[in-house]
Amino acid sequence: MNYLSDRVNNLSESATLAMTRLSRELISQGHDIINLSIGEPDFNTPEFVKDEARLALDQNFTHYPPVNGYQELREAICRKLHRDNNLEYKPGQIIVSTGAKQALANAVLALVNPGEEVIMPTPYWVSYSELVKLAEGVSVLVNADISTRFKITAAQLEQAITPKSKLLMFNSPNNPSGAVYDLEELKALAAVIEKNPQLFVIADEIYEYIIFDGKHESLAQFESIRDRVIIVNGVSKGYAMTGWRLGYTASNLEIAQAINKIQGQITSGSNSITQRAAISAMDRAPKDVPEMIQMIEIFRERRDLLVKLLRQIPGLKVDLPDGAFYVFPDISSYLGKKTSDGESIADDNALCMYLLKEARVALVPGSSFGNDKCIRFSYATSTEKVAEAAERVAKALAKLV
Ligand code: PMP
Ligand code: GLU
């Protein structure tokens, strides 16, 4: 008897976390797996942040924090938004959550009614489509592939809008493609959003600081739509703080209050020690923190290396991503080929499973990001491992006929 709710039965397991779990299991059984499936910096949190956490413990910040986050942290987030994004928010408009993931979930649940449409440029981050399912919304995919460097145009957005459209889930720099929208591209999208006053936007800016070419631009900078934009950001990527679990939203006051109500019934305020430590992070942009400058330089070197090595593999089409720490090659020329045992590589999932077995490299199939012609490589692991993984993948792909 299946007694679980339809809600959970319809939900997919997070593909990024599933692949990471599988590769951890194989590693613990003694297999020599290179894990390029998880997207998290392999660097440690800077010392000045850890010092604040120790201090917070000594000062007994061990009680329930306010549901929306400590006032000092929300003020620090407002200073950050002013300093880095030239945006003015008041602390009441900020809700601190347990990771950007919870911030996204809160925003989707606060806005989407059953049957309402949520526009999602593909490739999108794995959890977007599942959060929309939880809210009983309908995902409307707008496809961008390697030919447009994984970015949608304003005309595509316009075409996707219907009277049922409620929300656009937008992510730049993008996971999994690394695409970064420039100011002109955003202006064109903002003009379409402006003409459709029923449409709200989640602007997921979690990779804001991990940019190699160009500059991060926020959709919230356009006055005419600002009130309908919910910025989602956090400390996980830019400050190498994935395990601390802290993200936030910046939105209009009404949405902030709605998110606060949801969070107050589900998790309450996020971890008190993490919040105190995050105040110090917010007040120092990664560009002023030597460890973070070094991290981004190393990511750039790895990106260049991985793209160079993948471009040497016959049949792969590889874009040079401007940001985040992923490469998302088009592997479609390998689909339909066979292994030496006669097994068919029917789709991107089969290819990832084959590469896990044959190359001992864990990757994530593109279909979980809404693009089944690509697979995702995360290069947030040591440069040696990235190079070795590319070599192993090249050898394994060469064996397919
Ligand atoms: N958005 C995107 C695009 C991400 O890649 C991630 C990281 N998995 C998140 C949100 C969630 O970040 P956090 O770890 O802060 O929950
Ligand atoms: N951002 C990471 C990824 O996409 C984290 C994993 C997750 O939370 O799903 O791999």
Side-chain angles (χ1 to χ4, degrees):
M1 188 182 72
N2 185 350
Y3 57 85
L4 297 174
S5 68
D6 295 343
R7 187 177 304 110
V8 79
N9 284 326
N10 291 334
L11 197 69
S12 308
E13 184 181 3
S14 160
T16 46
L17 300 183
M19 214 38 177
T20 303
R21 182 173 44 75
L22 183 60
S23 75
R24 280 184 186 147
E25 269 166 32
L26 291 169
I27 291 167
S28 75
Q29 290 162 16
H31 297 279
D32 162 32
I33 304 286
I34 301 180
N35 182 11
L36 302 192
S37 66
I38 186 85
E40 72 162 330
D42 54 321
F43 294 84
N44 293 324
T45 304
E47 284 305 317
F48 77 94
V49 177
K50 293 198 271 185
D51 288 344
E52 288 301 318
R54 290 184 196 102
L55 196 63
L57 261 183
D58 290 343
Q59 292 174 341
N60 290 310
F61 279 100
T62 53
H63 302 271
Y64 282 133
V67 171
N68 56 349
Y70 290 117
Q71 172 79 15
E72 296 93 318
L73 174 56
R74 288 179 294 109
E75 283 170 4
I77 292 170
C78 292
R79 287 195 292 276
K80 177 262 171 236
L81 288 164
H82 171 77
R83 178 193 67 214
D84 296 345
N85 313 101
N86 200 21
L87 294 171
E88 306 308 322
Y89 284 89
K90 299 223 156 55
Q93 296 175 271
I94 310 296
I95 307 289
V96 174
S97 302
T98 302
K101 201 179 256 185
Q102 190 192 13
L104 286 165
N106 284 342
V108 170
L109 291 175
L111 287 166
V112 178
N113 281 312
E116 286 182 334
E117 292 176 358
V118 179
I119 300 174
M120 236 178 269
T122 73
Y124 54 78
W125 181 49
V126 271
S127 295
Y128 289 5
S129 54
E130 304 311 304
L131 292 176
V132 172
K133 275 191 207 163
L134 282 179
E136 297 177 51
V138 179
S139 294
V140 174
L141 305 186
V142 179
N143 295 321
D145 61 19
I146 192 161
S147 65
T148 57
R149 303 199 66 209
F150 300 106
K151 293 190 254 190
I152 63 158
T153 62
Q156 280 182 292
L157 175 62
E158 193 147 31
Q159 261 176 11
I161 296 175
T162 76
K164 285 192 180 162
S165 304
K166 182 62 171 285
L167 181 66
L168 164 68
M169 292 188 78
F170 187 77
N171 174 218
S172 174
N174 178 270
N175 176 5
S177 69
V180 177
Y181 284 76
D182 67 24
L183 185 58
E184 287 308 308
E185 291 161 339
L186 288 191
K187 240 188 221 162
L189 295 176
V192 175
I193 296 161
E194 186 182 344
K195 280 195 289 185
N196 291 276
Q198 88 282 17
L199 188 67
F200 288 77
V201 183
I202 289 180
D204 180 346
E205 305 187 347
I206 191 80
Y207 294 97
E208 165 176 19
Y209 297 123
I210 305 178
I211 289 200
F212 315 111
D213 304 305
K215 177 172 166 286
H216 172 72
E217 298 283 354
S218 176
L219 259 179
Q221 71 187 279
F222 304 102
E223 284 286 341
S224 59
I225 64 165
R226 164 127 13 113
D227 214 40
R228 290 186 275 130
V229 176
I230 300 110
I231 294 179
V232 169
N233 207 334
V235 293
S236 298
K237 317 290 171 173
Y239 297 91
M241 290 177 69
T242 47
W244 297 68
R245 312 305 304 129
L246 189 132
Y248 61 86
T249 49
S251 66
N252 76 36
L253 199 55
E254 205 177 353
I255 295 175
Q257 284 164 352
I259 288 176
N260 195 36
K261 189 157 75 170
I262 291 173
Q263 187 161 291
Q265 294 293 13
I266 300 184
T267 52
S268 293
S270 66
N271 180 291
S272 56
I273 305 299
T274 294
Q275 286 198 46
R276 300 311 299 182
I279 297 172
S280 64
M282 284 300 146
D283 277 328
R284 282 182 70 185
K287 70 173 178 37
D288 299 323
V289 181
E291 295 101 306
M292 297 294 98
I293 299 171
Q294 199 196 0
M295 175 175 88
I296 288 156
E297 268 321 296
I298 293 176
F299 282 153
R300 178 199 295 277
E301 284 166 27
R302 288 182 195 159
R303 173 199 67 160
D304 293 346
L305 175 71
L306 182 59
V307 167
K308 189 179 99 189
L309 294 174
L310 293 180
R311 282 184 174 165
Q312 289 165 5
I313 301 178
L316 289 197
K317 284 187 244 155
V318 193
D319 182 58
L320 180 71
D322 292 332
F325 33 65
Y326 310 101
V327 178
F328 198 53
D330 181 311
I331 44 73
S332 50
S333 67
Y334 286 90
L335 302 180
K337 290 200 174 195
K338 287 202 161 48
T339 68
S340 51
D341 301 336
E343 263 176 57
S344 167
I345 303 293
D347 57 20
D348 59 324
N349 291 299
L351 186 66
C352 279
M353 279 313 180
Y354 168 72
L355 291 174
L356 184 62
K357 262 195 344 216
E358 182 65 33
R360 287 162 290 117
V361 177
L363 303 165
V364 187
S367 48
S368 35
F369 305 98
N371 179 331
D372 60 7
K373 293 190 166 57
C374 296
I375 56 177
R376 189 187 80 172
F377 288 69
S378 159
Y379 54 83
T381 194
S382 77
T383 310
E384 296 71 38
K385 281 194 176 159
V386 168
E388 189 179 338
E391 197 179 308
R392 289 188 191 181
V393 167
K395 277 194 192 136
L397 289 178
K399 287 187 189 162
L400 294 175
V401 285

